[in-house]
Amino acid sequence: MRLSTVLSTVAILFASKTLAMSWEEADKKARKWCEDLTNEEKIAIVTGRENMTGVCVGSIDPIERKGFKGLCLQDGPAGVRFANGTATSWQAAINTAATFDRTLLYKVGEAQGNEFYQRGINVALAPAMNIQRAPAAGRIWESYGEDPFLAGQCGIEVIKGMQSKGVIATAKHYIGNDQENNRGASSSNIPEQALWEVYMEPFYRAVNDASVDSIMAAYNAVNGTYSVQNKRLLTDYLKDKLEFQGFVMSDWWAIYDVEKSFGAGMDMNMPGGKYWGPNFIGDSFWGEHIQECIDKDIFPQERLDDAVLRIIRSLYKAEQMDDYPDVNLYVDTNTKENIALNRKVGADSNVLLKNDDAILPIKKTNKIKKIAVIGKDSMPTKFCSDLGCADGTLPLGWGSGTTDFKYIVDPLSAITKRAKKEDIEVVSYGKDDAKGGAEAAKDADLAIVFVQADSGEEYVTVEGNKGDRQSLDLWHDGNELIDAVASANKNTIVVIHAPGPVNVPFLDKVKGIVFAGMPGQESGNAITDVLFGDVNPSGHLPYTWAPREDYPTDVKYDAALQGGGEEKTQYNYDEGLFVGYRWFDKKGIEPTFAFGYGLSYTTFEYSDLKVEMKEDGLHVSVTVTNTGSVAGAAVPMIFLSFPDIVKDYPSRLFKGFDKMMLEAGESKITKIFIDNHDLSYFDVESMKFVKPEEGEYTVFAGSNARDLPLK
């Protein structure tokens, strides 16, 4: 549907915040509290102390005379790190994004926030809001996929949920930390329009819509200048143009100086020491060197005053300055409610990629009397530090974004338990040997093959993969296992645990494929709920799935360079705005599975698209009908084409979605609002977001980027 613009060109500035305490009120309290601080005390507030050797991964010393208890900062996106199994081990953020469910996103943030709060952790080092440019990038499972609008919407809900519990959330990694290779010695060279519309967009939403309290600067450089030394990004853009009122911390050991980093607008040095290890406790690039720089007029006293004010202001806004719990990482918060929520999100994030002959769900009435469960990924997980191994079923990737698991429900155990209710026999083969797998499968009515691929953070190397994946192939000869099983059993289903897309040479050889991602501790129960139809799958891909060579960019595998040095691996973002599905649209490439793709055990029909442009933005409504025989959840998606006067622009942009449960035969109308910011593009000449003053938008509605029947 085409719609003419009705508003003049304007710079777009928005703020839709729901706060326990406003920034203005927090600012007044913080200024008063800071009045009698000495410079020595101020420097202690901005400089990490224990260098990751204490209870928390980051800490700020107390100031006893002020009644200030100090600060505890702790990872991360999948739950509280280093809690020795007392905290919930949640699903990866990419799974949460795959639900396309704002209510669930908020609930996850709220539940995680409560776990941090109960432990007296002041600052949760989450969420991660980087963009999936290349599917082999190591930490894609910690963020929300390839689309900046979706990443921003996910971040809004998680941040609001976390901060509703009084915890400071941290939007990270600002900005362009989209690959692991030489992350501390690389430059992400991003064109200005893409910088704002793609890579800053999630942070824009975090600041303006979620009122996030803190932001973490990235290891990498942007356009040649390290993020932690980049005044343009930190001060000119984030603090001035976006009017961010909170504080900016460094990623761990990302700072290598005081003049450039503190002078550029960094507010907190984490974890404080120059380098890793106990020998550097109290030996910081900051610390007393801040005073030396002030004395030498390298930067003014006001820079220190501002950094401290930002930290204390955020603490007041979060209402942490009085009666905040004492630090105790080992409070048991792995509650029944959290377990149930992790299981639900895990189930709802399963993406059904293929279901020929309605092979799923499994029912005794389908003459399924014997199931073969095959593959090491179906077996109990072997635990190792920061999950730096891939042995057994895969619940999360490796690195600082993972957790200490109390338990993991493995798929074999969960399937066996559920099959008993249907009087279905289960046989298993818990290895990845093709010959053994085929032997186990040949006499079964149905074979389910569990396979995996893994990735993580650069500081851990797993099976030759230093963070980023070496290839998109399944690990442990998964393709050979699937091929052998499918040759032995015509009713073969594949379940994939992985951070993102994998090669699928078996696509035409099997009847069913479920992409389970990284579901956390309730992994086995979550997949079993979907396999047996207790939950109708409603997950959708938050990225485009295609062969590696079809993407516009890739990671590199350069030799290691010294972090913070002049020599850098160069990542040129030459694709500009054309990330993910935008690139595939531009080049006319048919992906294996489109952005937003996901099947259900029922079918949906979209109709009656209506749009109306008003002063506040675009109001869209669409009718969704469940045309199948069982209840299910639909995710109507809205894409926009911009007026022709906007040149060299993606043909369509994802700009709205909803999730709605429908009984069989039921119809509902969903109303989706697209605000003026999302109707705008970034004009590099005026350095503002601008809404076109003439021309027509085209509105598309459907189920994914390549299935948009309404226009």
Side-chain angles (χ1 to χ4, degrees), residues 4-38:
S4 297
T5 61
V6 296
L7 300 178
S8 299
T9 302
V10 291
I12 307 298
L13 295 172
F14 299 103
S16 56
K17 306 169 183 176
T18 303
L19 306 177
M21 183 184 292
S22 69
W23 280 118
E24 292 75 17
E25 185 179 358
D27 183 72
K28 292 178 182 178
K29 292 178 178 291
R31 288 180 185 275
K32 184 174 181 58
W33 190 89
C34 291
E35 282 179 351
D36 65 342
L37 286 176
T38 66

Side-chain angles (χ1 to χ4, degrees), residues 412-428:
L412 176 60
S413 297
I415 290 170
T416 301
K417 181 178 179 180
R418 179 63 180 82
K420 287 182 179 179
K421 295 182 179 181
E422 305 286 342
D423 196 26
I424 295 174
E425 179 186 359
V426 175
V427 297
S428 67

Side-chain angles (χ1 to χ4, degrees), residues 369-663:
K369 299 179 180 179
K370 183 178 181 180
I371 298 172
V373 178
I374 297 165
K376 200 167 188 178
D377 186 68
S378 70
M379 302 298 288
T381 304
K382 177 184 176 182
F383 294 105
C384 50
S385 177
D386 284 346
L387 280 188
C389 57
D391 191 347
T393 198
L394 186 70
L396 287 172
W398 71 77
S400 64
T402 192
T403 60
D404 298 332
F405 283 77
K406 182 178 182 179
Y407 71 89
I408 297 172
V409 178
D410 62 272
L412 176 60
S413 297
I415 290 170
T416 301
K417 181 178 179 180
R418 179 63 180 82
K420 287 182 179 179
K421 295 182 179 181
E422 305 286 342
D423 196 26
I424 295 174
E425 179 186 359
V426 175
V427 297
S428 67
Y429 182 73
K431 299 180 181 179
D432 293 325
D433 174 68
K435 184 177 180 181
E439 183 66 24
K442 67 178 184 179
D443 294 326
D445 300 309
L446 181 72
I448 309 174
V449 186
F450 284 83
V451 289
Q452 66 181 227
D454 202 359
S455 72
E457 202 165 352
E458 184 185 35
Y459 72 88
V460 180
T461 299
V462 179
E463 299 186 26
N465 299 266
K466 191 178 180 182
D468 302 322
R469 283 187 282 169
Q470 290 288 322
S471 79
L472 298 190
D473 284 338
L474 291 169
W475 287 23
H476 311 148
D477 298 320
N479 291 333
E480 289 78 2
L481 177 64
I482 294 167
D483 189 65
V485 171
S487 296
N489 191 312
K490 65 180 182 179
N491 293 325
T492 294
I493 296 166
V494 175
V495 176
I496 303 168
H497 287 115
V502 297
N503 295 327
V504 285
F506 50 84
L507 182 59
D508 296 327
K509 301 177 183 178
V510 300
K511 285 193 175 180
I513 303 174
V514 181
F515 185 75
M518 293 176 164
Q521 65 185 32
E522 284 291 305
S523 176
N525 286 330
I527 188 61
T528 299
D529 287 344
V530 165
L531 291 175
F532 283 84
D534 301 322
V535 172
N536 191 343
S538 61
H540 293 257
L541 293 175
Y543 45 74
T544 303
W545 187 311
R548 187 174 190 173
E549 59 271 16
D550 287 347
Y551 293 91
T553 188
D554 208 342
V555 300
K556 294 184 178 181
Y557 303 100
D558 289 358
L561 298 173
Q562 177 62 46
E566 290 298 319
E567 186 179 1
K568 305 177 185 74
T569 292
Q570 300 295 319
Y571 290 101
N572 296 320
Y573 286 47
D574 293 335
E575 72 279 7
L577 299 172
F578 297 92
V579 178
Y581 65 86
R582 305 171 180 194
W583 174 262
F584 287 80
D585 287 347
K586 179 180 182 179
K587 296 296 182 179
I589 302 171
E590 188 66 28
T592 308
F593 301 109
F595 170 87
Y597 182 87
L599 301 175
S600 170
Y601 295 151
T602 189
T603 53
F604 301 100
E605 182 179 278
Y606 299 86
S607 62
D608 199 21
L609 174 65
K610 296 179 180 179
V611 296
E612 183 180 5
M613 183 72 80
K614 296 184 178 180
E615 190 76 16
D616 59 346
L618 182 62
H619 295 254
V620 180
S621 67
V622 63
T623 300
V624 185
T625 303
N626 183 342
T627 55
S629 58
V630 296
V635 179
M637 300 185 185
I638 303 298
F639 287 74
L640 287 184
S641 290
F642 271 57
D644 291 339
I645 64 168
V646 184
K647 303 299 183 183
D648 301 318
Y649 213 60
S651 59
R652 286 187 295 224
L653 295 173
F654 181 54
K655 292 294 184 179
F657 66 96
D658 192 12
K659 191 157 194 177
M660 49 202 309
M661 177 60 71
L662 296 165
E663 297 297 323

Side-chain angles (χ1 to χ4, degrees), residues 138-361:
R139 299 181 76 178
I140 59 173
W141 53 276
E142 294 186 51
S143 296
Y144 302 117
E146 73 184 23
D147 183 75
F149 172 78
L150 178 62
Q153 296 302 304
C154 291
I156 288 169
E157 299 303 329
V158 171
I159 291 166
K160 283 184 174 180
M162 278 188 166
Q163 294 190 169
S164 74
K165 293 301 180 180
V167 171
I168 290 174
T170 307
K172 64 181 188 181
H173 309 85
Y174 184 81
I175 199 167
N177 187 179
D178 304 313
Q179 50 278 315
E180 283 299 284
N181 175 249
N182 280 332
R183 62 184 184 181
S186 66
S187 180
S188 298
N189 303 318
I190 311 174
E192 191 70 14
Q193 187 176 10
L195 179 70
W196 280 94
E197 290 198 35
V198 179
Y199 301 97
M200 283 186 64
E201 175 63 20
F203 295 93
Y204 175 99
R205 288 298 186 184
V207 171
N208 285 281
D209 289 30
S211 193
V212 70
D213 293 332
S214 70
I215 286 176
M216 182 189 292
Y219 285 111
N220 56 282
V222 175
N223 298 339
T225 303
Y226 282 105
S227 298
V228 295
Q229 300 174 347
N230 201 316
K231 182 178 181 296
R232 182 174 67 106
L233 292 180
L234 296 173
T235 298
D236 299 345
Y237 289 2
L238 181 61
K239 294 181 177 181
D240 291 347
K241 290 184 76 70
L242 296 190
E243 299 182 344
F244 174 57
Q245 299 296 302
F247 65 96
V248 183
M249 74 180 76
S250 69
D251 209 333
W252 269 225
W253 301 288
I255 284 177
Y256 292 94
D257 83 312
V258 62
E259 296 93 341
K260 294 179 181 179
S261 59
F262 197 70
M266 290 300 302
D267 301 311
M268 184 182 287
N269 180 345
M270 277 290 135
K274 290 180 177 177
Y275 307 101
W276 178 87
N279 291 339
F280 292 97
I281 296 174
D283 184 7
S284 177
F285 287 108
W286 283 19
E288 67 272 15
H289 303 299
I290 292 176
Q291 185 63 59
E292 294 170 2
C293 288
I294 292 173
D295 294 340
K296 294 177 182 178
D297 292 327
I298 293 173
F299 44 71
Q301 174 70 38
E302 288 75 18
R303 174 76 273 273
L304 176 59
D305 296 342
D306 177 68
V308 174
L309 178 63
R310 286 175 173 277
I311 294 167
I312 301 302
R313 183 164 59 205
S314 297
L315 292 171
Y316 269 112
K317 176 174 164 288
E319 300 186 349
Q320 292 188 11
M321 292 296 280
D322 297 301
D323 300 322
Y324 202 72
D326 293 332
V327 175
N328 179 2
L329 293 193
Y330 311 121
V331 176
D332 192 347
T333 56
N334 205 343
T335 62
K336 291 181 180 178
E337 292 79 9
N338 286 355
I339 290 168
L341 182 57
N342 172 231
R343 180 172 179 168
K344 176 172 177 54
V345 177
D348 285 4
S349 64
N350 280 305
V351 182
L352 183 61
L353 298 176
K354 185 176 183 179
N355 194 26
D356 285 1
D357 301 332
I359 191 70
L360 291 173

Side-chain angles (χ1 to χ4, degrees), residues 96 99-108 149-150 153-154 156-158 654-659 671-673:
T96 319
T99 68
F100 281 76
D101 189 325
R102 288 185 174 91
T103 300
L104 278 185
L105 282 153
Y106 182 89
K107 287 182 177 179
V108 168
F149 172 78
L150 178 62
Q153 296 302 304
C154 291
I156 288 169
E157 299 303 329
V158 171
F654 181 54
K655 292 294 184 179
F657 66 96
D658 192 12
K659 191 157 194 177
K671 295 181 179 180
I672 295 172
F673 173 64

